[in-house]
Amino acid sequence: KCDTSNVKFSVQISGIINSNCISCHGGTAASGGGVKLGTYADVKVYADNGLLLNAVSRTVNPMPKGGPRLNDCRIAEIRTWLRNNAPN
């Protein structure tokens, strides 16, 4: 079951990022094209400019690169989080 009723960075989104993105986009020397997703503030930049959703939806620069598409529930959680102004 996919529960998108109360999505927060600290509860759901950080887990999605840690499981699918941080290996390339973590740390100070992120290898993923300079995109850093190690902290809430880092992720919020890409949430606000639309690149996070475009990447996970695979409409622009599909992510995770070389990996499987995030499942529909994870994408729905990200969409809900963004729609609710990306709360921490």
Side-chain angles (χ1 to χ4, degrees), residues 14-58:
S14 64
I16 295 169
I17 298 295
N18 287 336
S19 296
N20 299 282
C21 312
I22 211 71
S23 63
C24 293
H25 297 289
T28 56
S31 63
V35 173
K36 296 178 195 170
L37 301 175
T39 67
Y40 170 76
D42 293 337
V43 175
K44 184 84 163 71
V45 169
Y46 298 99
D48 290 347
N49 69 18
L51 292 177
L52 178 66
L53 185 59
N54 285 339
V56 300
S57 298
R58 296 188 164 225

mmCIF file of all heavy atoms in Angstrom, residues 14-58:
data_model
loop_
_atom_site.group_PDB
_atom_site.id
_atom_site.type_symbol
_atom_site.label_atom_id
_atom_site.label_comp_id
_atom_site.label_asym_id
_atom_site.label_seq_id
_atom_site.Cartn_x
_atom_site.Cartn_y
_atom_site.Cartn_z
ATOM 1 N N SER A 14 14.163 11.192 2.385
ATOM 2 C CA SER A 14 15.585 10.922 2.645
ATOM 3 C C SER A 14 15.906 9.446 2.412
ATOM 4 O O SER A 14 16.982 9.115 1.907
ATOM 5 C CB SER A 14 15.986 11.359 4.048
ATOM 6 O OG SER A 14 15.303 10.605 5.023
ATOM 7 N N GLY A 15 14.982 8.554 2.743
ATOM 8 C CA GLY A 15 15.189 7.127 2.492
ATOM 9 C C GLY A 15 15.256 6.806 1.011
ATOM 10 O O GLY A 15 16.075 5.991 0.579
ATOM 11 N N ILE A 16 14.402 7.452 0.235
ATOM 12 C CA ILE A 16 14.420 7.256 -1.223
ATOM 13 C C ILE A 16 15.756 7.735 -1.782
ATOM 14 O O ILE A 16 16.395 7.044 -2.577
ATOM 15 C CB ILE A 16 13.252 8.012 -1.896
ATOM 16 C CG1 ILE A 16 11.909 7.420 -1.451
ATOM 17 C CG2 ILE A 16 13.396 7.976 -3.417
ATOM 18 C CD1 ILE A 16 10.704 8.255 -1.847
ATOM 19 N N ILE A 17 16.184 8.925 -1.347
ATOM 20 C CA ILE A 17 17.460 9.497 -1.810
ATOM 21 C C ILE A 17 18.620 8.585 -1.400
ATOM 22 O O ILE A 17 19.489 8.269 -2.221
ATOM 23 C CB ILE A 17 17.658 10.919 -1.241
ATOM 24 C CG1 ILE A 17 16.557 11.871 -1.712
ATOM 25 C CG2 ILE A 17 19.055 11.451 -1.574
ATOM 26 C CD1 ILE A 17 16.518 12.149 -3.188
ATOM 27 N N ASN A 18 18.636 8.152 -0.141
ATOM 28 C CA ASN A 18 19.736 7.306 0.348
ATOM 29 C C ASN A 18 19.798 5.970 -0.383
ATOM 30 O O ASN A 18 20.885 5.466 -0.659
ATOM 31 C CB ASN A 18 19.619 7.093 1.855
ATOM 32 C CG ASN A 18 19.974 8.341 2.630
ATOM 33 O OD1 ASN A 18 20.699 9.201 2.159
ATOM 34 N ND2 ASN A 18 19.437 8.447 3.832
ATOM 35 N N SER A 19 18.663 5.403 -0.717
ATOM 36 C CA SER A 19 18.631 4.108 -1.386
ATOM 37 C C SER A 19 18.941 4.170 -2.875
ATOM 38 O O SER A 19 19.427 3.189 -3.450
ATOM 39 C CB SER A 19 17.255 3.458 -1.220
ATOM 40 O OG SER A 19 17.000 3.187 0.125
ATOM 41 N N ASN A 20 18.633 5.315 -3.503
ATOM 42 C CA ASN A 20 18.700 5.369 -4.965
ATOM 43 C C ASN A 20 19.632 6.417 -5.558
ATOM 44 O O ASN A 20 19.952 6.327 -6.739
ATOM 45 C CB ASN A 20 17.295 5.613 -5.515
ATOM 46 C CG ASN A 20 16.342 4.520 -5.153
ATOM 47 O OD1 ASN A 20 16.354 3.468 -5.756
ATOM 48 N ND2 ASN A 20 15.523 4.742 -4.133
ATOM 49 N N CYS A 21 20.055 7.388 -4.775
ATOM 50 C CA CYS A 21 20.761 8.530 -5.353
ATOM 51 C C CYS A 21 22.124 8.823 -4.728
ATOM 52 O O CYS A 21 23.028 9.327 -5.395
ATOM 53 C CB CYS A 21 19.914 9.797 -5.223
ATOM 54 S SG CYS A 21 18.197 9.624 -5.727
ATOM 55 N N ILE A 22 22.250 8.557 -3.446
ATOM 56 C CA ILE A 22 23.392 9.045 -2.690
ATOM 57 C C ILE A 22 24.724 8.432 -3.128
ATOM 58 O O ILE A 22 25.771 9.054 -2.975
ATOM 59 C CB ILE A 22 23.150 8.876 -1.169
ATOM 60 C CG1 ILE A 22 23.869 9.969 -0.395
ATOM 61 C CG2 ILE A 22 23.514 7.500 -0.688
ATOM 62 C CD1 ILE A 22 23.250 11.316 -0.559
ATOM 63 N N SER A 23 24.691 7.241 -3.714
ATOM 64 C CA SER A 23 25.954 6.625 -4.140
ATOM 65 C C SER A 23 26.668 7.480 -5.186
ATOM 66 O O SER A 23 27.896 7.511 -5.219
ATOM 67 C CB SER A 23 25.734 5.204 -4.651
ATOM 68 O OG SER A 23 24.922 5.211 -5.795
ATOM 69 N N CYS A 24 25.935 8.209 -5.998
ATOM 70 C CA CYS A 24 26.543 9.107 -6.988
ATOM 71 C C CYS A 24 26.436 10.577 -6.588
ATOM 72 O O CYS A 24 27.267 11.388 -7.008
ATOM 73 C CB CYS A 24 25.859 8.948 -8.350
ATOM 74 S SG CYS A 24 26.119 7.345 -9.124
ATOM 75 N N HIS A 25 25.419 10.920 -5.813
ATOM 76 C CA HIS A 25 25.142 12.321 -5.513
ATOM 77 C C HIS A 25 25.347 12.678 -4.043
ATOM 78 O O HIS A 25 24.738 13.615 -3.538
ATOM 79 C CB HIS A 25 23.699 12.662 -5.921
ATOM 80 C CG HIS A 25 23.445 12.522 -7.380
ATOM 81 N ND1 HIS A 25 23.960 13.378 -8.320
ATOM 82 C CD2 HIS A 25 22.731 11.597 -8.078
ATOM 83 C CE1 HIS A 25 23.573 13.012 -9.522
ATOM 84 N NE2 HIS A 25 22.826 11.925 -9.414
ATOM 85 N N GLY A 26 26.206 11.946 -3.362
ATOM 86 C CA GLY A 26 26.469 12.226 -1.956
ATOM 87 C C GLY A 26 27.859 12.782 -1.743
ATOM 88 O O GLY A 26 28.719 12.737 -2.614
ATOM 89 N N GLY A 27 28.082 13.328 -0.572
ATOM 90 C CA GLY A 27 29.401 13.832 -0.210
ATOM 91 C C GLY A 27 29.760 15.136 -0.884
ATOM 92 O O GLY A 27 28.997 15.698 -1.662
ATOM 93 N N THR A 28 30.943 15.612 -0.577
ATOM 94 C CA THR A 28 31.382 16.902 -1.106
ATOM 95 C C THR A 28 31.856 16.814 -2.544
ATOM 96 O O THR A 28 31.876 17.807 -3.245
ATOM 97 C CB THR A 28 32.511 17.491 -0.234
ATOM 98 O OG1 THR A 28 33.573 16.533 -0.171
ATOM 99 C CG2 THR A 28 32.018 17.808 1.159
ATOM 100 N N ALA A 29 32.243 15.632 -2.974
ATOM 101 C CA ALA A 29 32.724 15.453 -4.348
ATOM 102 C C ALA A 29 31.763 14.546 -5.111
ATOM 103 O O ALA A 29 32.152 13.509 -5.629
ATOM 104 C CB ALA A 29 34.128 14.879 -4.346
ATOM 105 N N ALA A 30 30.517 14.941 -5.177
ATOM 106 C CA ALA A 30 29.507 14.124 -5.851
ATOM 107 C C ALA A 30 29.919 13.853 -7.287
ATOM 108 O O ALA A 30 30.287 14.760 -8.020
ATOM 109 C CB ALA A 30 28.153 14.821 -5.802
ATOM 110 N N SER A 31 29.850 12.580 -7.687
ATOM 111 C CA SER A 31 30.273 12.197 -9.033
ATOM 112 C C SER A 31 29.159 12.344 -10.059
ATOM 113 O O SER A 31 29.388 12.189 -11.239
ATOM 114 C CB SER A 31 30.764 10.750 -9.032
ATOM 115 O OG SER A 31 29.708 9.873 -8.689
ATOM 116 N N GLY A 32 27.956 12.645 -9.623
ATOM 117 C CA GLY A 32 26.806 12.729 -10.511
ATOM 118 C C GLY A 32 26.621 14.102 -11.122
ATOM 119 O O GLY A 32 25.641 14.783 -10.862
ATOM 120 N N GLY A 33 27.564 14.534 -11.934
ATOM 121 C CA GLY A 33 27.436 15.812 -12.632
ATOM 122 C C GLY A 33 27.423 17.018 -11.706
ATOM 123 O O GLY A 33 26.889 18.066 -12.049
ATOM 124 N N GLY A 34 28.003 16.878 -10.532
ATOM 125 C CA GLY A 34 28.043 17.984 -9.582
ATOM 126 C C GLY A 34 26.767 18.169 -8.783
ATOM 127 O O GLY A 34 26.666 19.078 -7.967
ATOM 128 N N VAL A 35 25.780 17.314 -9.005
ATOM 129 C CA VAL A 35 24.516 17.397 -8.262
ATOM 130 C C VAL A 35 24.713 16.725 -6.910
ATOM 131 O O VAL A 35 25.027 15.541 -6.842
ATOM 132 C CB VAL A 35 23.366 16.710 -9.040
ATOM 133 C CG1 VAL A 35 22.110 16.656 -8.205
ATOM 134 C CG2 VAL A 35 23.119 17.439 -10.353
ATOM 135 N N LYS A 36 24.551 17.497 -5.846
ATOM 136 C CA LYS A 36 24.712 16.973 -4.486
ATOM 137 C C LYS A 36 23.345 16.828 -3.838
ATOM 138 O O LYS A 36 22.540 17.752 -3.858
ATOM 139 C CB LYS A 36 25.578 17.910 -3.660
ATOM 140 C CG LYS A 36 26.986 18.032 -4.170
ATOM 141 C CD LYS A 36 27.783 19.007 -3.334
ATOM 142 C CE LYS A 36 29.050 19.402 -4.049
ATOM 143 N NZ LYS A 36 29.716 20.511 -3.384
ATOM 144 N N LEU A 37 23.108 15.672 -3.260
ATOM 145 C CA LEU A 37 21.826 15.391 -2.613
ATOM 146 C C LEU A 37 22.032 14.861 -1.193
ATOM 147 O O LEU A 37 21.230 14.088 -0.688
ATOM 148 C CB LEU A 37 21.024 14.377 -3.446
ATOM 149 C CG LEU A 37 20.706 14.786 -4.876
ATOM 150 C CD1 LEU A 37 20.030 13.645 -5.625
ATOM 151 C CD2 LEU A 37 19.847 16.038 -4.911
ATOM 152 N N GLY A 38 23.104 15.302 -0.544
ATOM 153 C CA GLY A 38 23.461 14.786 0.758
ATOM 154 C C GLY A 38 22.656 15.315 1.927
ATOM 155 O O GLY A 38 22.600 14.687 2.974
ATOM 156 N N THR A 39 22.021 16.463 1.761
ATOM 157 C CA THR A 39 21.265 17.072 2.858
ATOM 158 C C THR A 39 19.903 17.545 2.353
ATOM 159 O O THR A 39 19.678 17.655 1.147
ATOM 160 C CB THR A 39 21.998 18.298 3.434
ATOM 161 O OG1 THR A 39 22.020 19.340 2.442
ATOM 162 C CG2 THR A 39 23.420 17.962 3.872
ATOM 163 N N TYR A 40 19.039 17.865 3.302
ATOM 164 C CA TYR A 40 17.738 18.430 2.942
ATOM 165 C C TYR A 40 17.921 19.680 2.085
ATOM 166 O O TYR A 40 17.257 19.834 1.060
ATOM 167 C CB TYR A 40 16.924 18.750 4.201
ATOM 168 C CG TYR A 40 15.675 19.563 3.911
ATOM 169 C CD1 TYR A 40 14.559 18.942 3.358
ATOM 170 C CD2 TYR A 40 15.621 20.920 4.181
ATOM 171 C CE1 TYR A 40 13.413 19.676 3.067
ATOM 172 C CE2 TYR A 40 14.472 21.654 3.899
ATOM 173 C CZ TYR A 40 13.383 21.029 3.348
ATOM 174 O OH TYR A 40 12.256 21.746 3.057
ATOM 175 N N ALA A 41 18.818 20.568 2.492
ATOM 176 C CA ALA A 41 19.040 21.815 1.737
ATOM 177 C C ALA A 41 19.493 21.522 0.309
ATOM 178 O O ALA A 41 19.061 22.199 -0.633
ATOM 179 C CB ALA A 41 20.058 22.695 2.457
ATOM 180 N N ASP A 42 20.361 20.525 0.143
ATOM 181 C CA ASP A 42 20.819 20.149 -1.202
ATOM 182 C C ASP A 42 19.651 19.662 -2.053
ATOM 183 O O ASP A 42 19.477 20.084 -3.204
ATOM 184 C CB ASP A 42 21.855 19.015 -1.131
ATOM 185 C CG ASP A 42 23.173 19.410 -0.486
ATOM 186 O OD1 ASP A 42 23.508 20.608 -0.465
ATOM 187 O OD2 ASP A 42 23.868 18.490 -0.003
ATOM 188 N N VAL A 43 18.852 18.763 -1.505
ATOM 189 C CA VAL A 43 17.727 18.186 -2.240
ATOM 190 C C VAL A 43 16.685 19.256 -2.543
ATOM 191 O O VAL A 43 16.114 19.293 -3.635
ATOM 192 C CB VAL A 43 17.099 17.008 -1.459
ATOM 193 C CG1 VAL A 43 15.855 16.478 -2.166
ATOM 194 C CG2 VAL A 43 18.115 15.891 -1.268
ATOM 195 N N LYS A 44 16.476 20.170 -1.605
ATOM 196 C CA LYS A 44 15.462 21.226 -1.762
ATOM 197 C C LYS A 44 15.743 22.087 -2.986
ATOM 198 O O LYS A 44 14.819 22.506 -3.690
ATOM 199 C CB LYS A 44 15.401 22.080 -0.494
ATOM 200 C CG LYS A 44 14.316 23.136 -0.500
ATOM 201 C CD LYS A 44 12.995 22.557 -0.069
ATOM 202 C CE LYS A 44 11.995 23.625 0.344
ATOM 203 N NZ LYS A 44 11.471 24.432 -0.726
ATOM 204 N N VAL A 45 17.000 22.336 -3.282
ATOM 205 C CA VAL A 45 17.364 23.111 -4.483
ATOM 206 C C VAL A 45 16.779 22.445 -5.726
ATOM 207 O O VAL A 45 16.156 23.106 -6.564
ATOM 208 C CB VAL A 45 18.900 23.241 -4.610
ATOM 209 C CG1 VAL A 45 19.298 23.802 -5.974
ATOM 210 C CG2 VAL A 45 19.455 24.099 -3.486
ATOM 211 N N TYR A 46 16.953 21.133 -5.843
ATOM 212 C CA TYR A 46 16.481 20.412 -7.026
ATOM 213 C C TYR A 46 14.984 20.143 -6.971
ATOM 214 O O TYR A 46 14.342 19.997 -8.012
ATOM 215 C CB TYR A 46 17.295 19.127 -7.218
ATOM 216 C CG TYR A 46 18.741 19.475 -7.448
ATOM 217 C CD1 TYR A 46 19.668 19.415 -6.422
ATOM 218 C CD2 TYR A 46 19.157 19.951 -8.679
ATOM 219 C CE1 TYR A 46 20.988 19.796 -6.624
ATOM 220 C CE2 TYR A 46 20.471 20.338 -8.894
ATOM 221 C CZ TYR A 46 21.379 20.258 -7.857
ATOM 222 O OH TYR A 46 22.675 20.653 -8.064
ATOM 223 N N ALA A 47 14.434 20.123 -5.783
ATOM 224 C CA ALA A 47 12.979 20.032 -5.644
ATOM 225 C C ALA A 47 12.343 21.315 -6.148
ATOM 226 O O ALA A 47 11.373 21.290 -6.912
ATOM 227 C CB ALA A 47 12.607 19.794 -4.177
ATOM 228 N N ASP A 48 12.898 22.442 -5.733
ATOM 229 C CA ASP A 48 12.332 23.743 -6.096
ATOM 230 C C ASP A 48 12.470 24.078 -7.575
ATOM 231 O O ASP A 48 11.588 24.722 -8.146
ATOM 232 C CB ASP A 48 12.969 24.856 -5.264
ATOM 233 C CG ASP A 48 12.561 24.821 -3.804
ATOM 234 O OD1 ASP A 48 11.592 24.101 -3.462
ATOM 235 O OD2 ASP A 48 13.213 25.510 -2.994
ATOM 236 N N ASN A 49 13.566 23.657 -8.200
ATOM 237 C CA ASN A 49 13.747 24.016 -9.614
ATOM 238 C C ASN A 49 13.155 22.985 -10.577
ATOM 239 O O ASN A 49 13.238 23.137 -11.787
ATOM 240 C CB ASN A 49 15.216 24.304 -9.938
ATOM 241 C CG ASN A 49 16.112 23.088 -9.895
ATOM 242 O OD1 ASN A 49 15.672 21.953 -9.939
ATOM 243 N ND2 ASN A 49 17.412 23.337 -9.805
ATOM 244 N N GLY A 50 12.553 21.912 -10.045
ATOM 245 C CA GLY A 50 11.875 20.922 -10.877
ATOM 246 C C GLY A 50 12.740 19.789 -11.385
ATOM 247 O O GLY A 50 12.228 18.828 -11.955
ATOM 248 N N LEU A 51 14.045 19.887 -11.192
ATOM 249 C CA LEU A 51 14.924 18.857 -11.740
ATOM 250 C C LEU A 51 14.782 17.501 -11.044
ATOM 251 O O LEU A 51 14.934 16.462 -11.682
ATOM 252 C CB LEU A 51 16.379 19.322 -11.699
ATOM 253 C CG LEU A 51 16.706 20.472 -12.647
ATOM 254 C CD1 LEU A 51 18.152 20.920 -12.473
ATOM 255 C CD2 LEU A 51 16.434 20.088 -14.094
ATOM 256 N N LEU A 52 14.476 17.504 -9.761
ATOM 257 C CA LEU A 52 14.311 16.232 -9.054
ATOM 258 C C LEU A 52 13.166 15.426 -9.649
ATOM 259 O O LEU A 52 13.337 14.255 -10.004
ATOM 260 C CB LEU A 52 14.075 16.473 -7.562
ATOM 261 C CG LEU A 52 13.847 15.211 -6.724
ATOM 262 C CD1 LEU A 52 15.102 14.344 -6.691
ATOM 263 C CD2 LEU A 52 13.408 15.573 -5.322
ATOM 264 N N LEU A 53 12.017 16.038 -9.779
ATOM 265 C CA LEU A 53 10.866 15.318 -10.330
ATOM 266 C C LEU A 53 11.101 14.924 -11.782
ATOM 267 O O LEU A 53 10.766 13.810 -12.192
ATOM 268 C CB LEU A 53 9.585 16.140 -10.204
ATOM 269 C CG LEU A 53 8.313 15.418 -10.644
ATOM 270 C CD1 LEU A 53 8.097 14.141 -9.840
ATOM 271 C CD2 LEU A 53 7.117 16.332 -10.523
ATOM 272 N N ASN A 54 11.697 15.807 -12.568
ATOM 273 C CA ASN A 54 11.993 15.463 -13.962
ATOM 274 C C ASN A 54 12.910 14.255 -14.047
ATOM 275 O O ASN A 54 12.712 13.380 -14.891
ATOM 276 C CB ASN A 54 12.620 16.650 -14.688
ATOM 277 C CG ASN A 54 11.623 17.717 -15.025
ATOM 278 O OD1 ASN A 54 10.425 17.473 -15.092
ATOM 279 N ND2 ASN A 54 12.096 18.933 -15.221
ATOM 280 N N ALA A 55 13.907 14.192 -13.166
ATOM 281 C CA ALA A 55 14.863 13.085 -13.206
ATOM 282 C C ALA A 55 14.208 11.769 -12.797
ATOM 283 O O ALA A 55 14.368 10.758 -13.488
ATOM 284 C CB ALA A 55 16.057 13.390 -12.310
ATOM 285 N N VAL A 56 13.471 11.760 -11.691
ATOM 286 C CA VAL A 56 12.878 10.492 -11.237
ATOM 287 C C VAL A 56 11.695 10.070 -12.094
ATOM 288 O O VAL A 56 11.386 8.879 -12.182
ATOM 289 C CB VAL A 56 12.508 10.508 -9.738
ATOM 290 C CG1 VAL A 56 13.740 10.749 -8.883
ATOM 291 C CG2 VAL A 56 11.421 11.487 -9.422
ATOM 292 N N SER A 57 11.040 11.035 -12.749
ATOM 293 C CA SER A 57 9.956 10.706 -13.683
ATOM 294 C C SER A 57 10.499 10.283 -15.032
ATOM 295 O O SER A 57 9.767 9.828 -15.894
ATOM 296 C CB SER A 57 9.039 11.916 -13.881
ATOM 297 O OG SER A 57 8.442 12.283 -12.685
ATOM 298 N N ARG A 58 11.796 10.491 -15.201
ATOM 299 C CA ARG A 58 12.526 10.143 -16.422
ATOM 300 C C ARG A 58 12.089 10.954 -17.629
ATOM 301 O O ARG A 58 12.163 10.485 -18.762
ATOM 302 C CB ARG A 58 12.447 8.639 -16.685
ATOM 303 C CG ARG A 58 13.143 7.872 -15.562
ATOM 304 C CD ARG A 58 13.270 6.420 -15.823
ATOM 305 N NE ARG A 58 14.260 5.904 -14.884
ATOM 306 C CZ ARG A 58 15.236 5.077 -15.217
ATOM 307 N NH1 ARG A 58 15.347 4.642 -16.429
ATOM 308 N NH2 ARG A 58 16.092 4.683 -14.307
#
